[in-house]
Short mmCIF file of all heavy atoms in Angstrom, two decimals:
data_model
loop_
_atom_site.label_atom_id
_atom_site.label_comp_id
_atom_site.label_asym_id
_atom_site.label_seq_id
_atom_site.Cartn_x
_atom_site.Cartn_y
_atom_site.Cartn_z
N VAL A 174 13.38 -2.10 -19.51
CA VAL A 174 12.26 -1.82 -18.62
C VAL A 174 12.72 -2.12 -17.20
O VAL A 174 13.30 -3.17 -16.94
CB VAL A 174 11.06 -2.72 -19.00
CG1 VAL A 174 9.93 -2.55 -18.01
CG2 VAL A 174 10.62 -2.42 -20.42
N ALA A 186 2.91 8.24 0.00
CA ALA A 186 2.31 9.24 0.88
C ALA A 186 1.46 10.25 0.13
O ALA A 186 0.64 10.93 0.73
CB ALA A 186 3.42 9.97 1.64
N VAL A 209 -11.72 39.00 3.55
CA VAL A 209 -11.51 40.18 2.69
C VAL A 209 -12.81 40.66 2.04
O VAL A 209 -12.90 41.80 1.60
CB VAL A 209 -10.47 39.91 1.58
CG1 VAL A 209 -9.12 39.54 2.19
CG2 VAL A 209 -10.92 38.82 0.61
N LEU A 241 -26.29 13.17 11.88
CA LEU A 241 -26.51 12.14 12.91
C LEU A 241 -26.91 10.82 12.27
O LEU A 241 -26.45 9.75 12.67
CB LEU A 241 -27.59 12.59 13.90
CG LEU A 241 -27.20 13.67 14.90
CD1 LEU A 241 -28.42 14.16 15.66
CD2 LEU A 241 -26.14 13.16 15.86
N VAL A 244 -23.86 9.11 11.01
CA VAL A 244 -23.10 8.41 12.05
C VAL A 244 -23.75 7.06 12.35
O VAL A 244 -23.07 6.03 12.41
CB VAL A 244 -22.99 9.26 13.33
CG1 VAL A 244 -22.40 8.46 14.47
CG2 VAL A 244 -22.14 10.50 13.06
N LYS A 253 -21.17 -2.24 13.95
CA LYS A 253 -21.28 -1.89 15.37
C LYS A 253 -22.73 -1.82 15.82
O LYS A 253 -23.02 -1.89 17.01
CB LYS A 253 -20.60 -0.54 15.64
CG LYS A 253 -19.15 -0.48 15.23
CD LYS A 253 -18.30 -1.47 15.98
CE LYS A 253 -16.84 -1.33 15.59
NZ LYS A 253 -16.04 -2.42 16.10
N GLY A 268 -25.62 11.62 3.79
CA GLY A 268 -24.46 12.51 3.66
C GLY A 268 -24.65 13.54 2.56
O GLY A 268 -24.31 14.71 2.72
N ARG A 269 -25.20 13.10 1.45
CA ARG A 269 -25.45 14.03 0.34
C ARG A 269 -26.43 15.11 0.75
O ARG A 269 -26.22 16.30 0.47
CB ARG A 269 -25.98 13.26 -0.87
CG ARG A 269 -24.95 12.40 -1.54
CD ARG A 269 -25.56 11.51 -2.58
NE ARG A 269 -24.53 10.66 -3.18
CZ ARG A 269 -24.78 9.54 -3.83
NH1 ARG A 269 -26.03 9.13 -3.98
NH2 ARG A 269 -23.79 8.84 -4.34
N ALA A 275 -26.28 22.09 3.95
CA ALA A 275 -25.29 22.94 4.61
C ALA A 275 -24.72 24.01 3.67
O ALA A 275 -24.29 25.07 4.13
CB ALA A 275 -24.15 22.09 5.16
N VAL A 278 -26.28 27.54 3.81
CA VAL A 278 -25.92 28.17 5.08
C VAL A 278 -24.51 28.75 4.99
O VAL A 278 -24.26 29.90 5.38
CB VAL A 278 -26.03 27.16 6.24
CG1 VAL A 278 -25.57 27.80 7.55
CG2 VAL A 278 -27.44 26.64 6.36
N VAL A 280 -22.85 29.55 2.24
CA VAL A 280 -22.84 30.66 1.28
C VAL A 280 -23.33 31.93 1.95
O VAL A 280 -22.73 33.00 1.81
CB VAL A 280 -23.69 30.31 0.04
CG1 VAL A 280 -23.94 31.54 -0.82
CG2 VAL A 280 -23.02 29.21 -0.78
N TRP A 297 -15.07 30.76 16.90
CA TRP A 297 -15.05 29.31 16.72
C TRP A 297 -15.96 28.88 15.57
O TRP A 297 -15.65 27.96 14.83
CB TRP A 297 -15.45 28.59 18.02
CG TRP A 297 -14.30 28.48 18.96
CD1 TRP A 297 -14.15 29.15 20.13
CD2 TRP A 297 -13.13 27.68 18.79
NE1 TRP A 297 -12.95 28.81 20.71
CE2 TRP A 297 -12.30 27.91 19.90
CE3 TRP A 297 -12.70 26.80 17.80
CZ2 TRP A 297 -11.08 27.29 20.06
CZ3 TRP A 297 -11.47 26.18 17.95
CH2 TRP A 297 -10.68 26.42 19.08
N PHE A 304 -13.02 24.92 8.48
CA PHE A 304 -12.44 23.60 8.71
C PHE A 304 -13.38 22.50 8.22
O PHE A 304 -12.94 21.51 7.62
CB PHE A 304 -12.13 23.40 10.20
CG PHE A 304 -11.57 22.05 10.51
CD1 PHE A 304 -10.22 21.80 10.34
CD2 PHE A 304 -12.39 21.01 10.95
CE1 PHE A 304 -9.70 20.54 10.61
CE2 PHE A 304 -11.88 19.76 11.22
CZ PHE A 304 -10.53 19.52 11.05
N LYS A 312 -12.31 14.13 3.01
CA LYS A 312 -13.05 12.85 3.13
C LYS A 312 -13.51 12.38 1.75
O LYS A 312 -13.39 11.19 1.43
CB LYS A 312 -14.25 13.03 4.05
CG LYS A 312 -15.05 11.74 4.21
CD LYS A 312 -16.33 11.96 4.98
CE LYS A 312 -17.15 10.67 4.94
NZ LYS A 312 -18.56 10.91 5.16
N MET A 313 -14.02 13.28 0.94
CA MET A 313 -14.50 12.88 -0.39
C MET A 313 -13.35 12.37 -1.26
O MET A 313 -13.51 11.40 -2.01
CB MET A 313 -15.19 14.05 -1.09
CG MET A 313 -16.49 14.47 -0.46
SD MET A 313 -17.72 13.15 -0.44
CE MET A 313 -17.67 12.58 1.24
N PRO A 322 -5.72 2.67 5.31
CA PRO A 322 -5.74 2.03 6.64
C PRO A 322 -7.15 2.08 7.19
O PRO A 322 -7.87 3.07 6.99
CB PRO A 322 -4.79 2.90 7.47
CG PRO A 322 -4.01 3.71 6.50
CD PRO A 322 -4.81 3.81 5.25
#
Side-chain angles (χ1 to χ4, degrees):
V174 175
V209 300
L241 286 171
V244 171
K253 303 298 183 191
R269 289 171 182 160
V278 177
V280 168
W297 279 109
F304 178 83
K312 180 187 173 204
M313 293 299 103

